[in-house]
Amino acid sequence: MPTEQGNDELDGLVRKRIHALRLAQGWSLEELAGRANLSQSSLSRIENGRRRLALDQLVTLARALDTTLDQLVETASDDVIISPVIDSARGRMQWPVKGDPGVTVVRQRVTGPPPDNPARMRAHPGREWLVVLSGTAILMLGHRRFRVETHQAAEFPTMLPHAMGAEGGPCDVLGIFDRDARRGHQRAARGGAEGDDPDATVT
């Protein structure tokens, strides 16, 4: 059972969350109160802790704020800091995303040029997003070749045959893979790493 202190902490968190979500939408007390069918004074007392939180009001407020009741009353996680899993064989650092287990964040240093043989490009279901942290990457998608500079990002469906390499020296890339893209890359690694850089190192 939650302690009284725990209930007080959750109560305060929910009130702060309502206030922060209202400000994020750029709404005044009057605007949110109107959307939630509450009086302005009632909403003010809810945000300031001078009125008890009622379940029906929380449901209405969550809907008005374009969120859900579960998200509105979600407790903060203690394990905020996540350490990377180091894949030494492929020269990668990987972080799972707890809120969406299907998503993985990967950092990799790419040192070799992109493959000159289109047969080495791979395709698989999924979607990938990447940003170049330093250096210049060459992204090959189908018959097109893209130069991705430092701080530029790229997003593409991985059903397009694709490969990546570095230009003018090593580059550091941070990628986000959905579940299907992550599985596709794992299968490629087990089957011979089509389009992967065999000289990649963890940074």
Side-chain angles (χ1 to χ4, degrees):
M1 293 292 290
T3 63
E4 184 175 341
Q5 180 181 358
N7 285 333
D8 290 342
E9 290 175 356
L10 178 58
D11 184 280
L13 177 63
V14 171
R15 295 178 192 276
K16 289 177 182 177
R17 193 169 280 155
I18 291 170
H19 177 73
L21 288 171
R22 175 174 65 80
L23 294 182
Q25 295 280 9
W27 294 339
S28 65
L29 279 167
E30 182 181 7
E31 287 176 296
L32 178 55
R35 292 170 182 269
N37 296 317
L38 293 171
S39 68
Q40 184 175 335
S41 61
S42 293
L43 178 58
S44 177
R45 290 197 298 273
I46 287 173
E47 287 191 3
N48 294 327
R50 298 196 302 268
R51 177 170 179 154
R52 182 180 64 84
L53 292 174
L55 180 60
D56 58 338
Q57 291 175 338
L58 288 179
V59 171
T60 303
L61 281 167
R63 187 178 302 115
L65 290 164
D66 194 27
T67 187
T68 65
L69 179 61
D70 286 344
Q71 290 176 323
L72 197 59
V73 302
E74 182 181 25
T75 56
S77 175
D78 291 332
D79 51 346
V80 172
I81 306 302
I82 305 172
S83 296
V85 175
I86 297 178
D87 181 353
S88 300
R90 304 189 68 202
R92 290 186 171 187
M93 303 174 74
Q94 300 183 141
W95 297 263
V97 178
K98 292 181 296 183
D100 187 346
V103 173
T104 301
V105 180
V106 175
R107 179 173 180 171
Q108 181 175 12
R109 167 157 280 207
V110 181
T111 59
D116 53 9
N117 183 355
R120 293 186 61 202
M121 298 171 68
R122 63 171 170 262
H124 49 82
R127 196 160 189 89
E128 182 174 344
W129 180 93
L130 62 87
V131 61
V132 176
L133 302 176
S134 65
T136 300
I138 299 298
L139 176 64
M140 300 174 64
L141 291 178
H143 299 294
R144 304 178 69 186
R145 181 185 178 99
F146 297 91
R147 196 167 185 262
V148 191
E149 303 277 4
T150 301
H151 300 151
Q152 288 186 324
E155 182 178 1
F156 57 93
T158 51
M159 284 298 287
L160 279 172
H162 59 282
M164 186 173 62
E167 180 183 79
C171 66
D172 292 303
V173 178
L174 189 72
I176 301 177
F177 304 85
D178 67 11
R179 187 188 308 272
D180 290 333
R182 175 170 54 85
R183 287 175 176 170
H185 279 262
Q186 289 171 342
R187 284 195 294 269
R190 290 193 296 267
E194 292 181 357
D196 283 337
D197 174 20
D199 301 317
T201 57
V202 175
T203 58

